Every structure is written in structure tokens, then in C-alpha cells.
């Protein structure tokens, strides 16, 4: 079931709500530059097991509205709070992949984890995607600057290149084309705005504030968000557990989808 939720005047979020009568709720936050449809292989299976699965499209992406502004982590986490309140969610698992993981961290810090009982960070872009002074982890700043430049120069070609480094396991050409189309759904200005946020913002204090049980899932072959960042998240978050995925890149939810679904559901049920 799909519907829209207003997060601020003239800005609506698309919400995919599967199995609303489910025993436990998982709210999925997708990564850049995709949409909630990236979690197709979770939405195929987890509702069968009795879970309510809610996927939302971040502003600027998928089927949500695409305003020119509002792509900082504060605003994006406020958007999530609006959805949580509108749907009356409580005692739910918040699952964020990549940039969605960064938004989840800011939500936990800024909104004190409102309604969240458990957190799942999947290849999360936190506490800083880029290397900084006194933080020699992550990717070089030039990597992100090139994404921004190529978004403005030739966004389809940029998306093709990004897709090529997203998965570790072999994917078909048809799957690659599908992934590419998800990226094209986004607005160009939103596609560039999120990488600018990666440069401007950090999430160290947000990680320190997390106190709910947290599962950290990270592919050891991740070429987008290096595995070391998962290890650092594990150090910062008190009640956390890191599960390395030996045969996954950035798209861990697809590279090892059966194992991913099992690990996530086992964590929720504990």
C-alpha cells in the first residue's frame, strides 16, 4: 500500500507500507541515489514472516517531492520524524543503508531515537564518509567532489560508474539497468546536494548518543563506504554488534540477501 505523508508545506514523502497488521515494524531508509525500491528483496520476504515493512523515499528521490532545498541531515531526520508521527509508530526497528544510515544516526541524536527500539545500520555513511583532519578513514574528499562535478556534467554516466562499484557479487545487465533507473528517478539537484552534505556534516556526537541495541552490517569489500567505518561505528555505539559480510560490497542487502534477511530478523527477535 502506497500513500503520501506531508513533511513540510508543499513537500510530501512517498511511503510504501507493507503488511500494516504485522507483528513488528521495520522502517527502511534507503541510500543515495536510490529509493525504497532498493529493498525489494527484503519487501519480498519479510512481510511473509509477519513483519510490517515501511519504505520511504527521501525528499528529492524516488516518488517523493523534489524541492530544491532541505538536504542537510537535520532536515532529513525531521522528515523521518514527521513520518513516524503521522503513522503513529512506536517500538519499531529503524534500518538505514548508506546515506539512510547517516540520516538514521542523526534521527537518533536529534530526536533522541523517538519511537525506536532497535537500530540497524547497513553500510552507513557515518560518522564521516570522507577523511578529515584527525580522522584518516573513509574516502578521499576528491571522490565526493568528482561525484558532484559529474552529476552536473553527465548524471547518467556518473550513475553508471557508481552502479559498477556498488555490488560485489555478479549482477546481470538487466539488474544493472534496473538499479540505474532508480538513480535516474532522483532530481539532479538532490543527487548533488546529498554529497555536499557528506562534505559539510559529521555524526560523531550522534553515534555517541545512541543507546538502543544496534546491529551494524557491513560488507568487507565495500568500495563506497569502507568497512573501517563500520568498525568505528561499533566503537562509538555502546550497545552495538558488528556483523561483517564476507562476500558483500556496498549493496549488502542484495549481495547476500538471504543471509542479510536472516541476520536482521534474528536481531529483531532477540
Amino acid at each position: 500500500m502506497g500513500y503520501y505523508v506531508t513533511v513540510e508545506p508543499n513537500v510530501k514523502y512517498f511511503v510504501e507500507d507493507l503488511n500494516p497488521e504485522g507483528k513488528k515494524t521495520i522502517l527502511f531508509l534507503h541510500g543515495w541515489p536510490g529509493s525504497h525500491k532498493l529493498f525489494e528483496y527484503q519487501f519480498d520476504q519479510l512481510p511473509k514472516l509477519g513483519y510490517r515493512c515501511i519504505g520511504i523515499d527521501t525528499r528529492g528521490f524516488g516518488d517523493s517531492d523534489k524541492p530544491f532545498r532541505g538536504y542537510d541531515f537535520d532536515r532529513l531526520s525531521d522528515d523521518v520524524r514527521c513520518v513516524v508521527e503521522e503513522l503513529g509508530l512506536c517500538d519499531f526497528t529503524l534500518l538505514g543503508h548508506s546515506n539512510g544510515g547517516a540520516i538514521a544516526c542523526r534521527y537518533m541524536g536529534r530526536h533522541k531515537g523517538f519511537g525506536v527500539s532497535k537500530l540497524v545500520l547497513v553500510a552507513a555513511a557515518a560518522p564521516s564518509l570522507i577523511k578529515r583532519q584527525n580522522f584518516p578513514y573513509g574516502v578521499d574528499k576528491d571522490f565526493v567532489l568528482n561525484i558532484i562535478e559529474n552529476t552536473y556534467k553527465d548524471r547518467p554516466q556518473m550513475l553508471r560508474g557508481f552502479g559498477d562499484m556498488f555490488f560485489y557479487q555478479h549482477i546481470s545487465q538487466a539488474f544493472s539497468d534496473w538499479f540505474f533507473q532508480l538513480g535516474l528517478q532522483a532530481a539532479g539537484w538532490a543527487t548533488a546536494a546529498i554529497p555536499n552534505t557528506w562534505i559539510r556534516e559529521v555524526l560523531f556526537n550522534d553515534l555517541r548518543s545512541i543507546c538502543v541495541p544496534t546491529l551494524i552490517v557491513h560488507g568487507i569489500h565495500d568500495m563506497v563506504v569502507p568497512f573501517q567505518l563500520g568498525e568505528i561505528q561499533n566503537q562509538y555505539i555502546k550497545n552495538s554488534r558488528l556483523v561483517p559480510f564476507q562476500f558483500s560490497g556496498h549493496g549488502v542487502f542484495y549481495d547476500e540477501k538471504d543471509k542479510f534477511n536472516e541476520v536482521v530478523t534474528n536481531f529483531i527477535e532477540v
Side-chain angles (χ1 to χ4, degrees), residues 197-211:
T197 297
W198 298 336
I199 292 173
R200 291 194 312 269
E201 300 199 40
V202 295
L203 298 146
F204 294 95
N205 289 333
D206 302 279
L207 291 181
R208 292 188 185 98
S209 73
I210 296 170
C211 56

Side-chain angles (χ1 to χ4, degrees), residues 73-94:
F73 286 141
D74 282 357
R75 178 65 256 180
L76 294 170
S77 70
D78 291 351
D79 291 347
V80 174
R81 174 69 181 260
C82 290
V83 173
V84 169
E85 291 187 342
E86 179 68 22
L87 274 57
L89 302 181
C90 61
D91 192 27
F92 67 93
T93 297
L94 181 61

Side-chain angles (χ1 to χ4, degrees), residues 14-69:
F14 180 77
V15 178
E16 187 75 66
D17 193 347
L18 299 172
N19 194 26
E21 305 303 319
K23 58 181 180 178
K24 294 184 179 181
T25 299
I26 310 171
L27 177 60
F28 292 79
L29 306 181
H30 67 83
W32 176 97
S35 71
H36 78 280
K37 293 179 180 177
L38 284 171
F39 297 112
E40 174 175 336
Y41 294 88
Q42 285 64 59
F43 296 161
D44 283 348
Q45 301 300 327
L46 300 190
K48 296 178 187 176
L49 302 177
Y51 294 98
R52 180 185 184 184
C53 295
I54 302 172
I56 63 177
D57 288 346
T58 301
R59 65 169 63 208
F61 297 84
D63 292 319
S64 288
D65 286 345
K66 298 172 174 61
F68 197 74
R69 294 179 176 83

Side-chain angles (χ1 to χ4, degrees), residues 123 217-222 225-227 243-246 248-250 252 256:
V217 173
H218 217 115
I220 66 170
H221 302 285
D222 197 327
V225 179
F227 179 75
V243 179
F245 273 54
Q246 302 295 325
S248 288
H250 194 54
V252 58
E256 296 181 79

Side-chain angles (χ1 to χ4, degrees), residues 97-98 123 129 138-140 143-144 147 161-169 198 218-229 248-252 255:
H97 170 252
S98 193
L129 179 60
V139 298
D140 292 330
F143 173 80
V144 177
I147 286 176
F162 186 73
D164 289 343
M165 61 189 301
F166 201 91
F167 301 97
Y168 176 68
Q169 305 277 25
W198 298 336
H218 217 115
I220 66 170
H221 302 285
D222 197 327
M223 297 173 62
V224 179
V225 179
F227 179 75
Q228 279 183 313
L229 293 185
S248 288
H250 194 54
V252 58
D255 280 330

